[in-house]
Amino acid sequence: MSTSMVEVENLSKSFGDNLVLDSFSMSVAKGEVIGIIGPSGSGKSTLLRCINFLEKPNAGVITIDGERITIDSHSPSKISGNKIAHLQSKVGMVFQQFNLFPHMTAKQNIMAGPKYVLKEKVEVYEEKAMRLLKQVGLPEKADAYPEELSGGQQQRVAIARALAMNPQVMLFDEATSALDPEIVGEVLAVMRTLANDGMTMLVVTHEMGFVRQVADRVIFMDQGKIVEQGDPAILFDKPTQQRTRDFLSAILSHTD
Amino acid sequence: MVFNVVNAKAALAGLSMGLLMTIVLTFLCGITSLTAGIFVALAKMSKIRILRFAVTCYVTIIRSTPLLVQLIFIYFALPFVGIRFGPFMAAYIGLSLNVTAYLSEVYRGGIEAVPKGQHDAAAAIGMTKSTAMARVIFPQAFRTLIPSLGNYVVSLFKDTSLASTVTIQELMFKGQIAAGATYDYMTIYIMVFVMYFMVGFPAIQLVTYLEKRMKNGYARKKMTPENGEVSA
Ligand SMILES: Nc1ncnc2c1ncn2[C@@H]1O[C@H](COP(=O)(O)OP(=O)(O)O)[C@@H](O)[C@H]1O
Ligand SMILES: [Mg+2]
């Protein structure tokens, strides 16, 4: 398929004898926004981390923007570090705990990738950093250190830092779960704009409202497998699987 | 009279030369160890087994034996197998090997204490392992380690007194000579004592100050009159 941006085929990953991803497959079209939901421990983070090679899968094929990586179960460690770093630079990732570099200002955090990885010119990455700070609504925080920023502000800088690499895909791993409820909205707003601008996004979240409004497709996963997927409006209102129903009713009773 | 001014005046020039040598030795060994310690720490964390093993042996041997014995071994024993160093080289090598071993452990602890999320974030923007180490991990580790590193340099300053055993004419050695010439141990060693203190005391004050500053976080690095950093 020429329009697919991310292609995951038979991805397996275990930690010790804990099989976390069980021959997982999915295809993400260019510009598609996918919400990934599921109970804690179902392998959502591991899936994103494998797609970004922060975890080394045991087996499977991952294709990002036409670049294909086959992980062979017999020699799982053969891919070169440079190849992995190259693929990682095409995939942006936003973490639950922000993980900003504490020794760099907001602007320096955003410039880190363009400067040290893309080796862009000073004028280029300075300009880019300021533009991204504006995009996430924090131009006045350019010289602030992460410790001087609220959680919501830190997460917006983290999104800008990922965007500075001109990624083809953005992965969000519970990007708002560590935030106070009243500031979740400011981060979701940035994500929503990004989705509207055509970014391909994989969003692991508990924000069902966001998934319903923004995602083109929702995937419900449990025990390392897709249980059910489809249009959010349909899946949320008429789930076909009992496990999906149980999960959704548990989530909904929580958020009230 | 406990303190003899005449003897003190006579010894002052020699002892000052000794103090200068002590400072030179501290400076050279300090720079060497602070740098080499980083590479030894990285070698200890490397994927290459033989390298890890070699470095572990080195660090273990140094940490399990007295510095005095190490210095004497290098200067007096190694010539018997044809390895000959002058006093200064012997002291420089001995002290640097010793301090490097300890500092490598300090560095390693600091590097390993940087949270995993920092490695993840660096990798996620496409940094290779070495770029991540240079730009993200090490700078954070180094900052937290500055007070400990400072303490080790102060220890080094004091430990250079052991170099007197390999005939380096540093402060302790000069003190022994002056004491032997006058038999006025009290006066001479009061002077030696005070001279070490004059350098050692401000040095530990500096370490304490750096320790406090570390606790202030990164934002305080910006010098503004409001946060009082300018006058400090
Ligand atoms: N680094 C790791 N080492 C060992 N087990 C892990 C590790 N990361 C995740 N796991 C295990 O993998 C399973 C799935 O975890 P995760 O992908 O974080 O789930 P989710 O994000 O859906 O909550 C859990 O059982 C978890 O304990
Ligand atoms: Mg998770």
PDB file of all heavy atoms in Angstrom, chain A residues 83-107:
ATOM      1  N   LYS A  83      20.986   3.189  11.790  1.00  0.00           N
ATOM      2  CA  LYS A  83      19.730   2.973  11.092  1.00  0.00           C
ATOM      3  C   LYS A  83      18.559   3.243  12.046  1.00  0.00           C
ATOM      4  O   LYS A  83      17.574   3.883  11.681  1.00  0.00           O
ATOM      5  CB  LYS A  83      19.697   1.511  10.590  1.00  0.00           C
ATOM      6  CG  LYS A  83      18.393   1.083   9.967  1.00  0.00           C
ATOM      7  CD  LYS A  83      18.370   1.401   8.480  1.00  0.00           C
ATOM      8  CE  LYS A  83      17.041   0.981   7.878  1.00  0.00           C
ATOM      9  NZ  LYS A  83      16.817   1.570   6.561  1.00  0.00           N
ATOM     10  N   ILE A  84      18.701   2.764  13.267  1.00  0.00           N
ATOM     11  CA  ILE A  84      17.651   2.983  14.260  1.00  0.00           C
ATOM     12  C   ILE A  84      17.502   4.471  14.557  1.00  0.00           C
ATOM     13  O   ILE A  84      16.392   5.014  14.547  1.00  0.00           O
ATOM     14  CB  ILE A  84      17.956   2.190  15.555  1.00  0.00           C
ATOM     15  CG1 ILE A  84      17.709   0.699  15.282  1.00  0.00           C
ATOM     16  CG2 ILE A  84      17.094   2.668  16.717  1.00  0.00           C
ATOM     17  CD1 ILE A  84      18.051  -0.212  16.416  1.00  0.00           C
ATOM     18  N   ALA A  85      18.645   5.151  14.761  1.00  0.00           N
ATOM     19  CA  ALA A  85      18.593   6.593  15.039  1.00  0.00           C
ATOM     20  C   ALA A  85      17.923   7.327  13.878  1.00  0.00           C
ATOM     21  O   ALA A  85      17.144   8.258  14.084  1.00  0.00           O
ATOM     22  CB  ALA A  85      20.001   7.139  15.283  1.00  0.00           C
ATOM     23  N   HIS A  86      18.194   6.882  12.651  1.00  0.00           N
ATOM     24  CA  HIS A  86      17.585   7.519  11.485  1.00  0.00           C
ATOM     25  C   HIS A  86      16.063   7.354  11.504  1.00  0.00           C
ATOM     26  O   HIS A  86      15.322   8.315  11.272  1.00  0.00           O
ATOM     27  CB  HIS A  86      18.174   6.927  10.202  1.00  0.00           C
ATOM     28  CG  HIS A  86      17.443   7.342   8.975  1.00  0.00           C
ATOM     29  ND1 HIS A  86      17.477   8.637   8.505  1.00  0.00           N
ATOM     30  CD2 HIS A  86      16.631   6.657   8.138  1.00  0.00           C
ATOM     31  CE1 HIS A  86      16.719   8.720   7.427  1.00  0.00           C
ATOM     32  NE2 HIS A  86      16.187   7.531   7.176  1.00  0.00           N
ATOM     33  N   LEU A  87      15.611   6.137  11.787  1.00  0.00           N
ATOM     34  CA  LEU A  87      14.159   5.913  11.833  1.00  0.00           C
ATOM     35  C   LEU A  87      13.532   6.691  12.988  1.00  0.00           C
ATOM     36  O   LEU A  87      12.448   7.255  12.853  1.00  0.00           O
ATOM     37  CB  LEU A  87      13.858   4.425  11.973  1.00  0.00           C
ATOM     38  CG  LEU A  87      13.952   3.664  10.648  1.00  0.00           C
ATOM     39  CD1 LEU A  87      13.899   2.172  10.891  1.00  0.00           C
ATOM     40  CD2 LEU A  87      12.834   4.090   9.707  1.00  0.00           C
ATOM     41  N   GLN A  88      14.232   6.732  14.120  1.00  0.00           N
ATOM     42  CA  GLN A  88      13.703   7.461  15.270  1.00  0.00           C
ATOM     43  C   GLN A  88      13.531   8.936  14.951  1.00  0.00           C
ATOM     44  O   GLN A  88      12.625   9.590  15.449  1.00  0.00           O
ATOM     45  CB  GLN A  88      14.634   7.273  16.478  1.00  0.00           C
ATOM     46  CG  GLN A  88      14.476   5.898  17.114  1.00  0.00           C
ATOM     47  CD  GLN A  88      15.526   5.619  18.159  1.00  0.00           C
ATOM     48  OE1 GLN A  88      16.658   6.082  18.067  1.00  0.00           O
ATOM     49  NE2 GLN A  88      15.159   4.838  19.171  1.00  0.00           N
ATOM     50  N   SER A  89      14.400   9.464  14.088  1.00  0.00           N
ATOM     51  CA  SER A  89      14.298  10.883  13.750  1.00  0.00           C
ATOM     52  C   SER A  89      13.069  11.163  12.891  1.00  0.00           C
ATOM     53  O   SER A  89      12.632  12.295  12.783  1.00  0.00           O
ATOM     54  CB  SER A  89      15.579  11.349  13.054  1.00  0.00           C
ATOM     55  OG  SER A  89      15.634  10.830  11.749  1.00  0.00           O
ATOM     56  N   LYS A  90      12.493  10.128  12.271  1.00  0.00           N
ATOM     57  CA  LYS A  90      11.292  10.342  11.451  1.00  0.00           C
ATOM     58  C   LYS A  90      10.008  10.180  12.255  1.00  0.00           C
ATOM     59  O   LYS A  90       8.917  10.470  11.768  1.00  0.00           O
ATOM     60  CB  LYS A  90      11.250   9.319  10.299  1.00  0.00           C
ATOM     61  CG  LYS A  90      12.417   9.454   9.346  1.00  0.00           C
ATOM     62  CD  LYS A  90      12.391   8.340   8.334  1.00  0.00           C
ATOM     63  CE  LYS A  90      11.811   8.770   7.043  1.00  0.00           C
ATOM     64  NZ  LYS A  90      11.762   7.775   6.012  1.00  0.00           N
ATOM     65  N   VAL A  91      10.159   9.658  13.461  1.00  0.00           N
ATOM     66  CA  VAL A  91       8.995   9.379  14.303  1.00  0.00           C
ATOM     67  C   VAL A  91       9.103  10.220  15.567  1.00  0.00           C
ATOM     68  O   VAL A  91      10.056  10.068  16.326  1.00  0.00           O
ATOM     69  CB  VAL A  91       8.946   7.880  14.668  1.00  0.00           C
ATOM     70  CG1 VAL A  91       7.727   7.584  15.531  1.00  0.00           C
ATOM     71  CG2 VAL A  91       8.935   7.024  13.415  1.00  0.00           C
ATOM     72  N   GLY A  92       8.163  11.111  15.774  1.00  0.00           N
ATOM     73  CA  GLY A  92       8.195  11.922  16.987  1.00  0.00           C
ATOM     74  C   GLY A  92       7.475  11.201  18.111  1.00  0.00           C
ATOM     75  O   GLY A  92       6.519  10.468  17.873  1.00  0.00           O
ATOM     76  N   MET A  93       7.965  11.395  19.335  1.00  0.00           N
ATOM     77  CA  MET A  93       7.291  10.735  20.453  1.00  0.00           C
ATOM     78  C   MET A  93       7.130  11.701  21.619  1.00  0.00           C
ATOM     79  O   MET A  93       8.028  12.460  21.949  1.00  0.00           O
ATOM     80  CB  MET A  93       8.086   9.509  20.902  1.00  0.00           C
ATOM     81  CG  MET A  93       7.479   8.796  22.075  1.00  0.00           C
ATOM     82  SD  MET A  93       7.498   7.020  21.828  1.00  0.00           S
ATOM     83  CE  MET A  93       6.710   6.442  23.312  1.00  0.00           C
ATOM     84  N   VAL A  94       5.942  11.643  22.222  1.00  0.00           N
ATOM     85  CA  VAL A  94       5.637  12.488  23.377  1.00  0.00           C
ATOM     86  C   VAL A  94       5.291  11.556  24.534  1.00  0.00           C
ATOM     87  O   VAL A  94       4.482  10.646  24.388  1.00  0.00           O
ATOM     88  CB  VAL A  94       4.468  13.440  23.057  1.00  0.00           C
ATOM     89  CG1 VAL A  94       4.101  14.271  24.277  1.00  0.00           C
ATOM     90  CG2 VAL A  94       4.839  14.353  21.886  1.00  0.00           C
ATOM     91  N   PHE A  95       5.949  11.798  25.661  1.00  0.00           N
ATOM     92  CA  PHE A  95       5.857  10.871  26.785  1.00  0.00           C
ATOM     93  C   PHE A  95       4.923  11.399  27.877  1.00  0.00           C
ATOM     94  O   PHE A  95       4.747  12.612  28.030  1.00  0.00           O
ATOM     95  CB  PHE A  95       7.241  10.670  27.409  1.00  0.00           C
ATOM     96  CG  PHE A  95       8.285  10.189  26.448  1.00  0.00           C
ATOM     97  CD1 PHE A  95       9.030  11.095  25.700  1.00  0.00           C
ATOM     98  CD2 PHE A  95       8.529   8.838  26.270  1.00  0.00           C
ATOM     99  CE1 PHE A  95      10.008  10.664  24.809  1.00  0.00           C
ATOM    100  CE2 PHE A  95       9.494   8.387  25.382  1.00  0.00           C
ATOM    101  CZ  PHE A  95      10.236   9.309  24.651  1.00  0.00           C
ATOM    102  N   GLN A  96       4.419  10.476  28.657  1.00  0.00           N
ATOM    103  CA  GLN A  96       3.573  10.865  29.785  1.00  0.00           C
ATOM    104  C   GLN A  96       4.305  11.813  30.738  1.00  0.00           C
ATOM    105  O   GLN A  96       3.741  12.789  31.216  1.00  0.00           O
ATOM    106  CB  GLN A  96       3.137   9.601  30.531  1.00  0.00           C
ATOM    107  CG  GLN A  96       2.207   9.871  31.687  1.00  0.00           C
ATOM    108  CD  GLN A  96       1.720   8.578  32.333  1.00  0.00           C
ATOM    109  OE1 GLN A  96       1.890   7.494  31.798  1.00  0.00           O
ATOM    110  NE2 GLN A  96       1.106   8.702  33.484  1.00  0.00           N
ATOM    111  N   GLN A  97       5.579  11.515  30.984  1.00  0.00           N
ATOM    112  CA  GLN A  97       6.350  12.327  31.949  1.00  0.00           C
ATOM    113  C   GLN A  97       7.130  13.453  31.281  1.00  0.00           C
ATOM    114  O   GLN A  97       8.118  13.939  31.843  1.00  0.00           O
ATOM    115  CB  GLN A  97       7.302  11.426  32.739  1.00  0.00           C
ATOM    116  CG  GLN A  97       6.600  10.360  33.569  1.00  0.00           C
ATOM    117  CD  GLN A  97       5.634  10.950  34.591  1.00  0.00           C
ATOM    118  OE1 GLN A  97       5.784  12.088  35.012  1.00  0.00           O
ATOM    119  NE2 GLN A  97       4.633  10.189  34.985  1.00  0.00           N
ATOM    120  N   PHE A  98       6.764  13.844  30.103  1.00  0.00           N
ATOM    121  CA  PHE A  98       7.375  14.945  29.325  1.00  0.00           C
ATOM    122  C   PHE A  98       8.819  14.668  28.915  1.00  0.00           C
ATOM    123  O   PHE A  98       9.177  14.830  27.764  1.00  0.00           O
ATOM    124  CB  PHE A  98       7.314  16.296  30.051  1.00  0.00           C
ATOM    125  CG  PHE A  98       6.129  16.483  30.968  1.00  0.00           C
ATOM    126  CD1 PHE A  98       6.290  16.977  32.244  1.00  0.00           C
ATOM    127  CD2 PHE A  98       4.838  16.144  30.539  1.00  0.00           C
ATOM    128  CE1 PHE A  98       5.194  17.135  33.088  1.00  0.00           C
ATOM    129  CE2 PHE A  98       3.742  16.307  31.380  1.00  0.00           C
ATOM    130  CZ  PHE A  98       3.923  16.799  32.655  1.00  0.00           C
ATOM    131  N   ASN A  99       9.659  14.319  29.918  1.00  0.00           N
ATOM    132  CA  ASN A  99      11.067  14.042  29.653  1.00  0.00           C
ATOM    133  C   ASN A  99      11.787  15.167  28.933  1.00  0.00           C
ATOM    134  O   ASN A  99      12.639  14.921  28.074  1.00  0.00           O
ATOM    135  CB  ASN A  99      11.236  12.738  28.859  1.00  0.00           C
ATOM    136  CG  ASN A  99      10.762  11.525  29.614  1.00  0.00           C
ATOM    137  OD1 ASN A  99      10.587  11.589  30.826  1.00  0.00           O
ATOM    138  ND2 ASN A  99      10.546  10.427  28.924  1.00  0.00           N
ATOM    139  N   LEU A 100      11.484  16.395  29.282  1.00  0.00           N
ATOM    140  CA  LEU A 100      12.284  17.494  28.741  1.00  0.00           C
ATOM    141  C   LEU A 100      13.692  17.393  29.314  1.00  0.00           C
ATOM    142  O   LEU A 100      13.890  16.833  30.387  1.00  0.00           O
ATOM    143  CB  LEU A 100      11.661  18.847  29.105  1.00  0.00           C
ATOM    144  CG  LEU A 100      10.393  19.221  28.354  1.00  0.00           C
ATOM    145  CD1 LEU A 100       9.921  20.603  28.786  1.00  0.00           C
ATOM    146  CD2 LEU A 100      10.606  19.193  26.841  1.00  0.00           C
ATOM    147  N   PHE A 101      14.657  17.956  28.584  1.00  0.00           N
ATOM    148  CA  PHE A 101      16.027  17.981  29.089  1.00  0.00           C
ATOM    149  C   PHE A 101      16.127  19.121  30.108  1.00  0.00           C
ATOM    150  O   PHE A 101      15.985  20.283  29.747  1.00  0.00           O
ATOM    151  CB  PHE A 101      17.013  18.184  27.938  1.00  0.00           C
ATOM    152  CG  PHE A 101      16.857  17.174  26.825  1.00  0.00           C
ATOM    153  CD1 PHE A 101      16.858  17.566  25.494  1.00  0.00           C
ATOM    154  CD2 PHE A 101      16.700  15.819  27.112  1.00  0.00           C
ATOM    155  CE1 PHE A 101      16.709  16.641  24.476  1.00  0.00           C
ATOM    156  CE2 PHE A 101      16.545  14.881  26.097  1.00  0.00           C
ATOM    157  CZ  PHE A 101      16.549  15.300  24.774  1.00  0.00           C
ATOM    158  N   PRO A 102      16.352  18.794  31.380  1.00  0.00           N
ATOM    159  CA  PRO A 102      16.242  19.823  32.424  1.00  0.00           C
ATOM    160  C   PRO A 102      17.340  20.876  32.357  1.00  0.00           C
ATOM    161  O   PRO A 102      17.171  21.968  32.891  1.00  0.00           O
ATOM    162  CB  PRO A 102      16.344  19.022  33.724  1.00  0.00           C
ATOM    163  CG  PRO A 102      17.052  17.770  33.351  1.00  0.00           C
ATOM    164  CD  PRO A 102      16.675  17.473  31.938  1.00  0.00           C
ATOM    165  N   HIS A 103      18.453  20.528  31.703  1.00  0.00           N
ATOM    166  CA  HIS A 103      19.573  21.474  31.666  1.00  0.00           C
ATOM    167  C   HIS A 103      19.496  22.416  30.465  1.00  0.00           C
ATOM    168  O   HIS A 103      20.414  23.192  30.232  1.00  0.00           O
ATOM    169  CB  HIS A 103      20.898  20.709  31.653  1.00  0.00           C
ATOM    170  CG  HIS A 103      21.065  19.782  30.487  1.00  0.00           C
ATOM    171  ND1 HIS A 103      20.142  18.798  30.196  1.00  0.00           N
ATOM    172  CD2 HIS A 103      22.010  19.692  29.541  1.00  0.00           C
ATOM    173  CE1 HIS A 103      20.542  18.144  29.130  1.00  0.00           C
ATOM    174  NE2 HIS A 103      21.673  18.672  28.706  1.00  0.00           N
ATOM    175  N   MET A 104      18.416  22.307  29.704  1.00  0.00           N
ATOM    176  CA  MET A 104      18.261  23.182  28.544  1.00  0.00           C
ATOM    177  C   MET A 104      16.987  24.007  28.713  1.00  0.00           C
ATOM    178  O   MET A 104      16.002  23.529  29.274  1.00  0.00           O
ATOM    179  CB  MET A 104      18.124  22.348  27.265  1.00  0.00           C
ATOM    180  CG  MET A 104      19.320  21.492  26.931  1.00  0.00           C
ATOM    181  SD  MET A 104      19.014  20.623  25.379  1.00  0.00           S
ATOM    182  CE  MET A 104      20.399  19.479  25.378  1.00  0.00           C
ATOM    183  N   THR A 105      17.008  25.226  28.172  1.00  0.00           N
ATOM    184  CA  THR A 105      15.796  26.045  28.186  1.00  0.00           C
ATOM    185  C   THR A 105      14.787  25.444  27.208  1.00  0.00           C
ATOM    186  O   THR A 105      15.112  24.522  26.450  1.00  0.00           O
ATOM    187  CB  THR A 105      16.104  27.479  27.730  1.00  0.00           C
ATOM    188  OG1 THR A 105      16.579  27.429  26.381  1.00  0.00           O
ATOM    189  CG2 THR A 105      17.136  28.138  28.620  1.00  0.00           C
ATOM    190  N   ALA A 106      13.570  25.979  27.246  1.00  0.00           N
ATOM    191  CA  ALA A 106      12.530  25.494  26.338  1.00  0.00           C
ATOM    192  C   ALA A 106      13.034  25.542  24.895  1.00  0.00           C
ATOM    193  O   ALA A 106      12.925  24.564  24.145  1.00  0.00           O
ATOM    194  CB  ALA A 106      11.275  26.349  26.492  1.00  0.00           C
ATOM    195  N   LYS A 107      13.621  26.657  24.539  1.00  0.00           N
ATOM    196  CA  LYS A 107      14.095  26.832  23.164  1.00  0.00           C
ATOM    197  C   LYS A 107      15.224  25.845  22.843  1.00  0.00           C
ATOM    198  O   LYS A 107      15.249  25.237  21.769  1.00  0.00           O
ATOM    199  CB  LYS A 107      14.572  28.282  22.987  1.00  0.00           C
ATOM    200  CG  LYS A 107      14.844  28.663  21.564  1.00  0.00           C
ATOM    201  CD  LYS A 107      15.196  30.147  21.509  1.00  0.00           C
ATOM    202  CE  LYS A 107      15.762  30.531  20.165  1.00  0.00           C
ATOM    203  NZ  LYS A 107      16.459  31.826  20.252  1.00  0.00           N
TER     204      LYS A 107
END
